[in-house]
Amino acid sequence: MRASRYLIATQKETPSDAEIISHQLMLRAGMIRKLAAGLYTWLPMGLRTLRKVERIVREEMDKSGAQEVLMPAVQPAELWQESGRWEQYGGELLRMNDRHGRDFCFGPTHEEVITDLIRNELNSYKELPANFYQIQTKFRDERRPRFGVMRAREFIMKDAYSFHVNAESLDETYQIMHRTYCAIFDRLGLDYRPVQADSGAIGGSASHEFHVLASSGEDDIVFSTQSDYAANIEKAEAVAPSGERALPTEELKEIATPDQRTIEAISQFLNIDAIRTVKTLLVKAEAKEEEDTSNAGLVALILRGDHSLNEIKAENLEGVADPLTMATDEEIEAAVGCKAGSIGPVNLNVPVIVDRSAAQLADFVCGANKEGYHLTGVNWERDLPLGRVEDIRNVVEGDPSPDGKGTLEIRRGIEVGHIFKLGNKYSTAMNATVLDENGKTVIMDMGCYGIGVSRIVAASIEQNHDDKGIIWPDAIAPFQVAIVTLNAHKTPVVAEAGEKLYEQLKQAGYDVLLDDRKERPGVKFADMELIGIPHRFVISDRGLAAGTLEYKGRRDEDKQDIAIEEALPFLINASPRKGL
Amino acid sequence: MRASRYLIATQKETPSDAEIISHQLMLRAGMIRKLAAGLYTWLPMGLRTLRKVERIVREEMDKSGAQEVLMPAVQPAELWQESGRWEQYGGELLRMNDRHGRDFCFGPTHEEVITDLIRNELNSYKELPANFYQIQTKFRDERRPRFGVMRAREFIMKDAYSFHVNAESLDETYQIMHRTYCAIFDRLGLDYRPVQADSGAIGGSASHEFHVLASSGEDDIVFSTQSDYAANIEKAEAVAPSGERALPTEELKEIATPDQRTIEAISQFLNIDAIRTVKTLLVKAEAKEEEDTSNAGLVALILRGDHSLNEIKAENLEGVADPLTMATDEEIEAAVGCKAGSIGPVNLNVPVIVDRSAAQLADFVCGANKEGYHLTGVNWERDLPLGRVEDIRNVVEGDPSPDGKGTLEIRRGIEVGHIFKLGNKYSTAMNATVLDENGKTVIMDMGCYGIGVSRIVAASIEQNHDDKGIIWPDAIAPFQVAIVTLNAHKTPVVAEAGEKLYEQLKQAGYDVLLDDRKERPGVKFADMELIGIPHRFVISDRGLAAGTLEYKGRRDEDKQDIAIEEALPFLINASPRKGL
């Protein structure tokens, strides 16, 4: 491509409403432009990268045996009513009426449509397993779209759905997709981790997320220092400190703690470590058939003072309302008779769930259920029954790894892929069956597998940039090579050498941008670096006189002179991945 | 691809709700499935063809110098309000509200979005001309979606928009796009015609449609028998019969014609040819600043009895309401004092526009503006002034070609492409300007260029099928070659030979479907013919014993035996277009 005939829409200023570096650089490098909140146009430069990501995803999905389809973006409400999600899905579902007043939505996902298709098309176990995918524009009406294409409303997704006669077959395809995702993210040149994840609202029995590691990531992901254990923070299991609980050494005392309502305040006031305190959180209990008025419909969650509640773990527990709902100040006062900062588990008149680490404490401090008072020297079993113990906290760095090997580290990640075992959630709701080997009608098992195609572009930048701009991995660079000619409009020999090298590299299968614009050298260099093209050749009058051109890799500190005839062999050596 | 691992979703029965052959065959060949009215899922087999069409369109657009972008499907109302189309566009615009209640639409076209983008990005004549295209999912909320993907609500379109500093530059790009469209439709293997078209509601000064010729087409297109003149019926110019008008020979008479209200009835009653009658149609006049009450706001259109009104030509005329609106029975009675069937131009108290052919008549018959009476022997200038003469009729077969060469023929066409000179309609409304060579701010000229990508798939089938199914051109066949193995599950040597040929043809760059299903030979043959794969090899036990396999081209009457080692050379000869 000749830059003089191409939209090079670079900008010097950092746009004020772009918070994260990928959003800033995608705007500055002329990859995208904002149309409205969460809606972006992909300019030619950005689209080239997007298409390369798509292509890698498509090739690996095809290789895995998945079949590509294309379902409509606009979906009729009837199918969502059948699965129950028309009611359950919140404001993120963009609903609309057609000219006849019928209900439709702009699909954020396609479980219903594919399940409807497959229940009509497939009849026998002989046609299974089958895995169908599409690369398609989706819409999620985010309340606060932000970070550019990272959390846009309209975005491009690869979604796949597999169908199975039994759980073993689902497991096999799930493993194939796990490997396929690794192959995709490897080819994309990303530093990523697959982590165990909670399967959450979408239902199902197992799931993994694929995270690109980047400090700007919105998610905490957790690794073992000594094994391949990895999970997102929602899922990562918090194990109790090893050993037996210490024996009581203090007496139970009630002490006045006027105006001390937080763990921090109490710790300072008593001059103890927060690790010796517990906090008590009151949340709504799961609704029951017969209303039990004895405990005001609340449950108490007990955590060590230095730990934080893991809401997902809590709401997944039997007896706890899902989604997790904190009790209001009024409900707390009505049930316990004090404010939130003074609650404690001793003689508490609501059911108690104790975190594993809190259950190991001895001689601890807690609220006295009396405004302005705390208890010290509290001990389980002696002063109060221990009752139900569960894992309800977030892990912290240094926690033992749940597989017993090493301790946990926490890093930030950007979720770019997610694989789920859906089980029979949708196939049961929508009666998607086949005949098995015995001629018996069975509900199909399903898996689903997503990749955020447009998000990957931003995630890659979060991981690969410097103060000059983007640094693309070769595989998804909009152009692999830039040829910058200096003063070519005044120096025919430079223009000629540029054209010659341009044709040579194109012939060899490279995506080449010939920067033949009538701009100052500094402007051209800055643009090519901002855009992030991995390899750059500079052709100048002086270089040609010496029979050389100048090469600089985007990550290199220094330039180097190379004999003109060595340019192609040099490039093949530097970038063996050609011709995407 | 191995058919045993691929969704071959063929059907024997012709679906009852599919009216045209392409819709029937796309369903029967397992290319698409209906999700809801006008919404179709592309199954793997159909998507392969769709992607090949996309690819050809993309390659030729790139070659033309156009730059690919991707704009959001969801567009904010504000831009449509700026262009004025938020109000003008009817029920086909799918409007919606986001979670904050803001107005959006699912874009049926992107003039507003691209004009907004370009007015922000480009500032100088030096950056022009520029042409941007996308291949994207669009939505048009058709009142009566039908004919499958031919007139779907959600569909895939290639839309391009060019920007220019002046009309000459627009003209140049328009010509480039004309040539590019021809290259695209040539490569697609379609029998098509570019025809002059009315630029209609979208505005602008020139336009051509590209029609695939097919008897099921919804449009009439018109050609000269002796020149390359071609236009759609809306645009095709109807010239008057040559020579002078004949002199009057009859006297004007008023005769009673009780209950004779149609041209057909009057012709029979008077025993004359319809060619000697005129019909008079009353339509609404163009609204004026000052209401002119003298003619009740109506205009009379006079046509020869055997001709039909061309509504587009009529509504484009000064003085006629656009869109064309027929007068109601009440308005006719109030203005003329008789019913529609008895109106005539003599002493008519509304302005008259006479078609060129009607203006050539002598001694003609018309209504007497009196219920149950007609006039005979009517002659222009003698009995009534001729007044304004215009071209307001549809051409008919045998009409002289407007370029003076040959006569006109009419065929049916399916519109698959359309190019427009938009001029400055959108750029004026949205103030899209650049600086010209003199530093003066000028409004840009624009062109727009559409191709119905998904519609092309159906149009190709309308043109290429027989009673066994689809017949794909090589370039867009889902697979170019089928290898059918007979009883391979019982005959290892057949299975082996099938695999070997499969690998060999794939290596050579062909898209191959190996039909390795455990089905009867008849079922496999019927499926491959229904799906329309251009080349078929059959491998059987008996053939192998003789060292041969059987070849049949999809259009061939007869099969032929070919030595196994000759298969690839034979195919290369039959289908030089490889490796799409």
Side-chain angles (χ1 to χ4, degrees):
Chain A
M1 190 62 65
R2 286 175 175 79
S4 58
R5 302 183 201 164
Y6 201 70
L7 185 62
I8 309 281
T10 51
Q11 297 175 336
K12 281 221 182 80
E13 282 76 37
T14 297
S16 60
D17 63 337
E19 298 169 55
I20 60 171
I21 191 74
S22 61
H23 188 192
Q24 292 167 2
L25 288 176
M26 288 182 78
L27 289 167
R28 287 191 51 213
M31 298 184 66
I32 54 169
R33 285 296 180 264
K34 180 175 170 180
L35 172 62
L39 301 177
Y40 290 87
T41 292
W42 290 80
L43 300 184
M45 194 66 79
L47 189 62
R48 289 184 73 93
T49 288
L50 185 68
R51 294 277 187 240
K52 289 187 179 182
V53 175
E54 273 185 32
R55 180 164 170 176
I56 289 172
V57 171
R58 178 173 286 119
E59 286 176 357
E60 294 299 324
M61 288 301 293
D62 287 345
K63 214 182 282 178
S64 81
Q67 301 180 53
E68 189 173 2
V69 296
L70 183 61
M71 294 179 264
V74 174
Q75 307 181 8
E78 286 75 12
L79 290 179
W80 287 68
Q81 282 153 355
E82 211 181 325
S83 75
R85 289 208 290 184
W86 189 255
E87 304 302 328
Q88 291 158 20
Y89 223 98
E92 290 187 1
L93 187 65
L94 181 63
R95 295 155 211 256
M96 58 189 94
N97 293 108
D98 74 358
R99 65 190 297 158
H100 302 296
R102 293 191 204 101
D103 287 319
F104 289 86
C105 64
F106 195 133
T109 177
H110 278 70
E111 282 82 3
E112 284 82 358
V113 176
I114 192 79
T115 305
D116 177 58
L117 178 78
I118 295 305
R119 70 180 166 182
N120 293 326
E121 295 302 321
L122 302 189
N123 306 305
S124 161
Y125 74 97
K126 290 181 197 163
E127 300 167 283
L128 301 180
N131 191 6
F132 299 94
Y133 79 98
Q134 58 179 354
I135 296 177
Q136 197 210 26
T137 298
K138 304 250 189 278
F139 201 95
R140 198 152 49 198
D141 200 359
E142 299 273 356
R143 184 183 296 276
R144 274 195 60 216
R146 59 198 159 136
F147 303 155
V149 299
M150 188 79 89
R151 188 172 288 280
R153 296 202 287 178
E154 191 174 319
F155 57 97
I156 295 178
M157 176 111 172
K158 188 284 297 172
D159 47 329
Y161 308 89
S162 68
F163 294 84
H164 308 273
V165 72
N166 57 38
E168 292 70 46
S169 166
L170 168 56
D171 193 54
E172 256 171 54
T173 297
Y174 188 85
Q175 295 306 332
I176 291 171
M177 292 312 295
H178 194 292
R179 288 197 296 275
T180 297
Y181 274 39
C182 289
I184 289 169
F185 297 120
D186 283 342
R187 280 186 65 186
L188 289 170
L190 294 169
D191 183 12
Y192 70 97
R193 290 286 171 91
V195 303
Q196 293 175 29
D198 185 74
S199 36
I202 202 162
S205 58
S207 92
H208 282 82
E209 291 168 356
F210 290 76
H211 283 265
V212 166
L213 301 183
S215 56
S216 61
E218 291 189 89
D219 296 310
D220 280 321
I221 53 178
V222 177
F223 315 101
S224 164
T225 51
Q226 284 173 35
S227 74
D228 59 1
Y229 177 83
N232 70 12
I233 192 90
E234 294 169 350
K235 176 78 175 178
E237 186 183 352
V239 298
S242 56
E244 295 284 296
R245 183 169 61 235
L247 293 173
T249 63
E250 298 178 13
E251 301 218 337
L252 181 67
K253 278 192 210 155
E254 180 179 289
I255 56 169
T257 51
D259 296 327
Q260 313 300 325
R261 294 200 182 84
T262 64
I263 292 293
E264 202 185 5
I266 282 293
S267 307
Q268 281 197 358
F269 184 79
L270 298 178
N271 195 24
I272 56 168
D273 200 307
I275 203 171
R276 289 197 45 216
T277 68
V278 307
K279 55 186 163 198
T280 304
L281 304 170
L282 290 189
V283 301
K284 294 266 170 70
E286 204 160 14
K288 289 191 184 153
E289 295 286 311
E290 296 166 54
E291 189 93 11
D292 179 1
T293 54
S294 65
N295 53 40
L298 300 180
V299 176
L301 306 177
I302 314 295
L303 294 154
R304 220 168 70 183
D306 60 326
H307 284 153
S308 66
L309 177 68
N310 182 311
E311 300 197 3
I312 302 292
K313 290 178 181 176
E315 72 193 12
N316 283 346
L317 290 180
E318 203 176 317
V320 177
D322 180 8
L324 192 78
T325 314
M326 302 307 290
T328 63
D329 289 348
E330 293 72 35
E331 287 168 333
I332 293 171
E333 292 236 28
V336 189
C338 66
K339 294 219 170 98
S342 300
I343 320 173
V346 181
N347 294 325
L348 186 62
N349 57 349
V350 300
V352 162
I353 299 176
V354 183
D355 180 66
R356 291 169 174 175
S357 298
Q360 285 287 79
L361 289 179
D363 300 329
F364 62 84
V365 173
C366 64
N369 296 325
K370 194 164 131 190
E371 202 57 32
Y373 287 88
H374 277 75
L375 302 178
T376 63
V378 185
N379 281 280
W380 298 111
E381 307 293 6
R382 185 190 75 180
D383 307 321
L384 73 171
L386 178 55
R388 186 173 170 195
V389 177
E390 301 279 5
D391 172 18
I392 55 173
R393 71 167 171 97
N394 289 319
V395 298
V396 292
E397 292 228 351
D399 272 344
S401 177
D403 63 359
K405 297 173 198 158
T407 56
L408 297 180
E409 268 182 43
I410 301 181
R411 297 271 296 276
R412 304 292 281 177
I414 300 166
E415 187 191 332
V416 290
H418 204 158
I419 60 178
F420 284 104
K421 289 188 190 173
L422 285 175
N424 58 19
K425 179 182 158 95
Y426 293 93
S427 44
T428 298
M430 298 180 69
N431 197 32
T433 63
V434 287
L435 297 179
D436 71 6
E437 296 113 274
N438 307 313
K440 216 185 93 199
T441 297
V442 292
I443 296 275
M444 285 184 271
D445 271 307
M446 287 175 62
C448 80
Y449 318 94
I451 287 182
V453 173
S454 41
R455 171 178 274 201
I456 281 173
V457 178
S460 175
I461 296 174
E462 289 294 332
Q463 207 171 61
N464 300 285
H465 64 268
D466 61 15
D467 56 354
K468 292 184 193 123
I470 301 167
I471 305 173
W472 289 113
D474 274 62
I476 58 174
F479 296 95
Q480 296 161 281
V481 191
I483 301 172
V484 178
T485 51
L486 302 190
N487 296 312
H489 56 293
K490 294 186 224 156
T491 327
V493 59
V494 168
E496 218 168 87
E499 289 288 336
K500 201 173 151 195
L501 183 62
Y502 174 59
E503 291 300 332
Q504 187 191 18
L505 299 187
K506 274 206 307 179
Q507 283 294 329
Y510 287 93
D511 266 342
V512 190
L513 182 65
L514 172 64
D515 194 349
D516 57 347
R517 295 175 297 164
K518 281 195 206 170
E519 296 280 2
R520 286 183 295 108
V523 169
K524 292 183 174 193
F525 294 152
D527 278 353
M528 296 304 110
E529 286 180 318
L530 175 57
I531 293 166
I533 299 178
H535 307 278
R536 186 187 80 190
F537 290 109
V538 178
I539 300 182
S540 65
D541 207 3
R542 204 168 49 179
L544 288 180
T548 62
L549 33 75
E550 180 193 290
Y551 170 85
K552 184 166 181 293
R554 180 63 183 81
R555 288 186 190 273
D556 295 350
E557 287 291 319
D558 299 311
K559 316 163 195 172
Q560 50 185 310
D561 287 334
I562 290 174
I564 296 173
E565 61 277 12
E566 286 301 311
L568 179 57
F570 181 90
L571 185 62
I572 290 171
N573 189 47
S575 174
R577 182 189 293 277
K578 287 183 293 177
L580 266 171
Chain B
M1 191 60 66
R2 287 175 175 80
S4 59
R5 302 183 201 163
Y6 201 69
L7 185 62
I8 311 281
T10 51
Q11 297 176 336
K12 280 221 181 81
E13 281 77 37
T14 298
S16 60
D17 63 338
E19 297 169 54
I20 60 170
I21 192 75
S22 61
H23 189 191
Q24 292 167 3
L25 288 176
M26 288 182 78
L27 289 167
R28 286 190 53 212
M31 297 184 68
I32 54 168
R33 286 294 181 265
K34 181 175 169 179
L35 172 62
L39 301 177
Y40 290 88
T41 292
W42 290 81
L43 300 185
M45 193 67 78
L47 189 62
R48 289 184 74 92
T49 288
L50 185 67
R51 294 277 187 240
K52 289 187 180 183
V53 174
E54 274 185 31
R55 179 163 171 176
I56 288 172
V57 171
R58 179 172 287 118
E59 286 176 357
E60 294 299 325
M61 288 301 294
D62 287 345
K63 214 180 283 178
S64 81
Q67 301 181 51
E68 189 173 2
V69 297
L70 182 61
M71 294 178 263
V74 174
Q75 305 181 9
E78 287 75 12
L79 290 179
W80 287 68
Q81 283 154 354
E82 210 179 327
S83 74
R85 288 208 293 184
W86 188 255
E87 304 302 328
Q88 290 158 20
Y89 224 98
E92 289 187 1
L93 187 64
L94 181 63
R95 294 155 211 256
M96 58 189 94
N97 294 108
D98 74 358
R99 64 191 299 159
H100 302 296
R102 292 192 205 99
D103 286 320
F104 289 86
C105 65
F106 194 133
T109 177
H110 278 70
E111 280 83 3
E112 284 83 358
V113 176
I114 192 81
T115 305
D116 177 58
L117 178 77
I118 295 305
R119 69 178 168 185
N120 293 326
E121 294 302 322
L122 301 189
N123 306 305
S124 161
Y125 74 98
K126 290 181 199 163
E127 300 168 285
L128 300 181
N131 191 5
F132 299 94
Y133 79 97
Q134 57 178 354
I135 296 177
Q136 198 211 27
T137 298
K138 304 248 188 280
F139 201 95
R140 196 151 52 199
D141 200 0
E142 299 273 356
R143 184 184 296 277
R144 274 193 60 215
R146 60 200 159 131
F147 303 154
V149 298
M150 188 79 89
R151 189 170 287 282
R153 296 200 285 178
E154 190 174 318
F155 56 98
I156 296 178
M157 178 110 170
K158 187 284 297 172
D159 48 329
Y161 308 89
S162 68
F163 295 83
H164 309 273
V165 73
N166 57 36
E168 292 68 47
S169 166
L170 167 57
D171 193 53
E172 255 172 53
T173 297
Y174 188 84
Q175 295 307 331
I176 291 172
M177 292 313 294
H178 194 293
R179 288 196 297 275
T180 297
Y181 275 40
C182 290
I184 289 169
F185 297 121
D186 283 342
R187 280 187 64 185
L188 289 169
L190 294 169
D191 183 12
Y192 71 95
R193 291 286 173 91
V195 304
Q196 293 176 27
D198 185 74
S199 36
I202 203 163
S205 59
S207 90
H208 281 82
E209 291 168 355
F210 289 76
H211 283 267
V212 167
L213 301 182
S215 55
S216 60
E218 291 189 87
D219 296 309
D220 281 322
I221 53 178
V222 177
F223 315 101
S224 165
T225 52
Q226 284 172 33
S227 76
D228 60 1
Y229 177 82
N232 70 12
I233 192 89
E234 294 168 350
K235 176 78 175 178
E237 186 183 351
V239 298
S242 56
E244 295 284 295
R245 183 168 64 234
L247 294 172
T249 65
E250 297 179 14
E251 303 217 331
L252 181 67
K253 278 190 214 158
E254 179 178 290
I255 57 170
T257 51
D259 296 329
Q260 313 300 325
R261 291 199 184 86
T262 64
I263 291 294
E264 200 185 8
I266 283 291
S267 307
Q268 281 196 358
F269 184 76
L270 298 176
N271 195 24
I272 55 167
D273 201 308
I275 203 172
R276 292 197 44 216
T277 68
V278 306
K279 54 186 163 195
T280 305
L281 303 169
L282 291 189
V283 301
K284 294 264 169 72
E286 204 161 12
K288 288 191 186 156
E289 294 287 311
E290 297 166 53
E291 189 94 11
D292 179 0
T293 55
S294 66
N295 53 41
L298 300 180
V299 175
L301 306 176
I302 314 294
L303 293 154
R304 219 169 69 183
D306 61 325
H307 285 154
S308 66
L309 177 68
N310 183 311
E311 301 196 3
I312 302 291
K313 290 178 181 175
E315 72 193 13
N316 284 346
L317 290 179
E318 202 176 317
V320 176
D322 180 8
L324 193 78
T325 313
M326 303 305 291
T328 63
D329 289 347
E330 294 69 34
E331 288 167 331
I332 294 171
E333 293 235 28
V336 188
C338 67
K339 295 219 170 92
S342 301
I343 321 173
V346 180
N347 295 323
L348 186 63
N349 57 349
V350 301
V352 164
I353 298 176
V354 183
D355 180 67
R356 292 168 174 176
S357 297
Q360 283 288 77
L361 290 178
D363 299 332
F364 62 86
V365 172
C366 65
N369 295 326
K370 192 164 132 188
E371 200 58 30
Y373 286 87
H374 277 76
L375 302 177
T376 64
V378 186
N379 282 279
W380 298 112
E381 307 294 5
R382 185 191 73 182
D383 306 322
L384 73 171
L386 179 53
R388 183 173 171 196
V389 177
E390 300 279 6
D391 172 18
I392 56 172
R393 71 167 171 99
N394 289 318
V395 298
V396 294
E397 292 228 351
D399 272 345
S401 177
D403 63 359
K405 297 174 196 159
T407 57
L408 296 180
E409 269 182 44
I410 301 181
R411 298 271 297 275
R412 305 291 280 177
I414 300 166
E415 187 190 333
V416 289
H418 204 158
I419 59 178
F420 284 103
K421 288 188 192 173
L422 284 175
N424 57 19
K425 180 183 158 93
Y426 293 93
S427 45
T428 298
M430 299 179 67
N431 197 32
T433 63
V434 288
L435 296 179
D436 71 6
E437 296 114 273
N438 307 315
K440 216 186 94 201
T441 296
V442 293
I443 296 275
M444 285 186 270
D445 271 306
M446 288 175 60
C448 79
Y449 318 94
I451 286 184
V453 173
S454 41
R455 171 178 274 201
I456 281 173
V457 178
S460 174
I461 296 174
E462 290 293 331
Q463 206 172 63
N464 299 286
H465 64 268
D466 61 15
D467 56 355
K468 292 183 192 125
I470 302 167
I471 306 174
W472 289 113
D474 275 62
I476 59 173
F479 296 95
Q480 296 160 282
V481 191
I483 301 172
V484 178
T485 52
L486 302 189
N487 295 311
H489 56 294
K490 293 187 226 155
T491 326
V493 58
V494 168
E496 218 168 87
E499 288 288 338
K500 201 173 150 195
L501 183 61
Y502 175 60
E503 292 300 333
Q504 188 192 16
L505 299 186
K506 275 206 304 180
Q507 283 294 328
Y510 287 93
D511 266 343
V512 191
L513 182 65
L514 172 64
D515 193 349
D516 57 348
R517 293 175 299 163
K518 281 194 204 170
E519 295 280 1
R520 285 183 298 107
V523 169
K524 294 182 172 193
F525 294 152
D527 277 354
M528 295 304 110
E529 287 181 317
L530 175 57
I531 293 166
I533 299 177
H535 308 279
R536 185 187 81 190
F537 289 111
V538 178
I539 300 182
S540 66
D541 206 3
R542 205 168 49 179
L544 288 180
T548 63
L549 34 75
E550 181 194 289
Y551 170 85
K552 187 168 178 296
R554 179 64 182 79
R555 289 185 190 274
D556 295 348
E557 287 291 316
D558 300 312
K559 317 162 195 172
Q560 49 186 310
D561 288 333
I562 290 175
I564 295 172
E565 62 277 12
E566 287 301 312
L568 179 58
F570 182 89
L571 184 63
I572 290 172
N573 190 46
S575 173
R577 182 188 293 276
K578 286 181 294 177
L580 267 171

